[in-house]
Amino acid sequence: TTLVVHVSYLDGKGNLEPQGAVPSAVSTLTDDLLKYYQHVTRAVLGDDPQLMKVALQDLQTNSKIAALLPYFVYVVSGVKSVSHDLEQMNRLLHIARSLIQNPFLGLGSYVRSLIGSVLYCALEPLAASINPLNDHWTLRDYAAMLLSRVFWTHGDLVSGLYHQILLSLQKVLADPVRPLCSHYGAVVGLHALGWK
């Protein structure tokens, strides 16, 4: 049995690029941007808290990183693969917060992906929540606050986002099979969105 794979990429205009071509989004990145991306992700996910703080601050204020937005959103979406490690999940949410607060980034279509990652942290029964010594409640509180911030600052970018978020929170809250930690996440999420 043989398998032949053909890979094609869409360019920014919806045209197929030839097989084997480097996607235009990747080919336009400079070496400096790629180095910046590597240094920031290593700093945030590394062991040095001071370096992490500096990297997050720069990520929040840097006006020249718009081309890296899809890469950082992809890193944030990694929360699902580290649900056993609250510290790493917390750091990924910090990256999301820095991206949301950066006034030079137009989040556009990436808002849904960021919301999905934040909702995951707030609502899912994480592997780390099995151990009662792990403080996953604080992570859920932080995710709810971040959910509110994304919604109120960038909610107008995506139509139907308000209803999608409310439906997700309501669905979890109304499900009697879901664990208490998921119900808690839904309640703090609703509370963070405000009484309206």
Side-chain angles (χ1 to χ4, degrees):
T1 305
T2 61
L3 180 66
V4 178
V5 178
H6 293 280
V7 179
S8 297
Y9 298 102
L10 289 174
D11 65 10
K13 301 173 183 95
N15 301 317
L16 281 177
E17 294 182 356
Q19 181 178 351
V22 177
S24 58
V26 175
S27 64
T28 59
L29 290 180
T30 64
D31 288 339
D32 290 339
L33 280 176
L34 287 174
K35 286 179 185 175
Y36 176 87
Y37 168 76
Q38 292 169 343
H39 288 305
V40 167
T41 52
R42 283 188 197 133
V44 173
L45 300 176
D47 296 331
D48 187 348
Q50 185 60 31
L51 192 58
M52 179 181 82
K53 184 178 178 182
V54 169
L56 288 171
Q57 181 63 34
D58 189 70
L59 196 58
Q60 184 176 333
T61 58
N62 196 322
S63 63
K64 300 173 184 170
I65 60 168
L68 292 175
L69 181 60
Y71 296 89
F72 285 120
V73 170
Y74 177 76
V75 168
V76 171
S77 70
V79 293
K80 297 173 183 169
S81 62
V82 292
S83 70
H84 61 282
D85 189 342
L86 290 175
E87 182 64 30
Q88 291 294 351
M89 291 181 79
N90 194 30
R91 290 172 184 224
L92 293 174
L93 286 180
H94 282 304
I95 292 175
R97 189 197 73 215
S98 293
L99 294 174
I100 292 161
Q101 291 180 332
N102 188 325
F104 303 105
L105 294 178
L107 296 181
S109 61
Y110 298 107
V111 171
R112 274 197 202 279
S113 183
L114 288 172
I115 289 284
S117 298
V118 172
L119 279 172
Y120 181 86
C121 292
L123 300 178
E124 291 304 315
L126 308 171
S129 61
I130 294 171
N131 184 349
L133 299 177
N134 288 337
D135 185 15
H136 58 94
W137 309 103
T138 303
L139 178 78
R140 294 175 195 282
D141 290 340
Y142 183 63
M145 181 276 306
L146 195 54
L147 178 68
S148 173
R149 181 167 287 167
V150 174
F151 177 75
W152 291 113
T153 57
H154 299 286
D156 57 339
L157 298 175
V158 181
S159 66
L161 186 64
Y162 178 75
H163 294 294
Q164 175 193 351
I165 292 172
L166 286 180
L167 187 62
S168 298
L169 296 173
Q170 179 186 8
K171 184 178 174 184
V172 169
L173 197 56
D175 187 352
V177 178
R178 297 280 256 179
L180 175 64
C181 58
S182 295
H183 288 169
Y184 177 83
V187 169
V188 295
L190 288 168
H191 178 72
L193 289 177
W195 63 271
K196 288 184 180 181

